[in-house]
Amino acid sequence: MDEQPRLFDFTEKGEGAGAFIVADANRQAIGLLEQWRSWPGGALALVGPEGSGKSHLAKLWAGEAGALVLTGRITASGAREAFAARDGRLVLDNADRVQDDTTLMLVLDQARSEGGAVLLVGRASPAEWPAETPDLRSRFAALLTVGLGEPDEKLITELIRRLCRARFIEMKENVARYAVQHMERSFAAAHALVEEIDNLMTEGSQPVPYDIAAEALRRLERREPAGP
């Protein structure tokens, strides 16, 4: 049997603001995405907190596997047509918010019986996703699931720099490391910090100075804690 081609090799060298950052927090997920032809029941749940890059990673997989990304309201007929058009390769983004048991059961049944590859993306574990029918709750609980962990220092440093670049702000690595050493190490905190830096920076392409990073950190500390 031919070895299945590896996906995402290019991401290790990606330098653009939109390039995916490969790190310990997502290596397991990438490994399972590379083995999409072997998913039990033809489905995998990819979960992680807001800002963790799960939708980005799902879109990369879709591009490599030739899958169609479905977002928003999904009907049973639309899902059936999409499944047929892409040989069963689908991404259901925000699957934890699709409150349509019939459509979700249809997609999972087709993936299992017809050899599909369906990637369901959500925040919490599928066992916590809303489902009215016992059959769907059971299917959710049985899904092969992989989570994106919270970032290590290397990942959060690079993430902050790339979020800055996406806003046309230059941040040197030493300043980013300084920020990481004085902040909560989470995806949400990284996004919030860059938002504060953007608010503080004046027009121009000069790198973010230490004093701006320090003030952004102080503002971040004064923010109200996020709700549940």
Side-chain angles (χ1 to χ4, degrees), residues 65-78:
L68 181 66
V69 180
L70 300 178
T71 58
R73 182 172 176 79
I74 305 168
T75 64
S77 60

Side-chain angles (χ1 to χ4, degrees), residues 21-178:
I21 306 168
V22 178
D24 290 343
N26 52 48
R27 287 187 196 279
Q28 183 183 14
I30 290 173
L32 283 173
L33 289 171
E34 289 173 339
Q35 300 300 318
W36 58 271
R37 292 183 179 87
S38 303
W39 294 345
L44 173 72
L46 175 65
V47 301
E50 291 292 337
S52 60
K54 57 187 180 295
S55 292
H56 188 175
L57 184 54
K59 289 177 182 177
L60 287 174
W61 175 80
E64 294 291 332
L68 181 66
V69 180
L70 300 178
T71 58
R73 182 172 176 79
I74 305 168
T75 64
S77 60
R80 187 181 293 108
E81 291 174 3
F83 193 95
R86 296 298 178 93
D87 294 326
R89 301 171 190 177
L90 298 177
V91 174
L92 300 185
D93 203 1
N94 295 318
D96 54 340
R97 304 178 192 179
V98 179
Q99 298 181 350
D100 185 337
D101 286 22
T102 301
T103 297
L104 289 168
M105 281 295 296
L106 170 69
V107 170
L108 292 174
D109 284 343
Q110 283 190 293
R112 181 170 58 180
S113 63
E114 301 178 27
V118 176
L119 179 62
L120 300 98
V121 183
R123 292 159 297 177
S125 166
E128 301 176 34
W129 294 358
E132 295 183 2
T133 63
D135 283 349
L136 184 57
R137 287 197 294 270
S138 176
R139 294 293 295 277
F140 279 165
L143 276 173
L144 175 64
T145 302
V146 64
L148 298 178
E150 288 292 357
D152 58 19
E153 183 174 344
K154 179 180 177 181
L155 174 55
I156 201 73
T157 300
E158 184 59 23
L159 175 61
I160 289 171
R161 296 185 70 204
R162 292 193 184 190
L163 290 172
C164 281
R165 284 201 293 270
R167 296 174 181 244
F168 305 101
I169 298 170
E170 182 184 359
M171 176 179 272
K172 298 294 186 180
E173 185 175 355
N174 57 334
V175 178
R177 285 201 305 266
Y178 162 79

Side-chain angles (χ1 to χ4, degrees), residues 202-214:
T202 57
E203 292 186 7
S205 59
Q206 72 272 20
V208 178
Y210 279 104
D211 61 337
I212 290 293

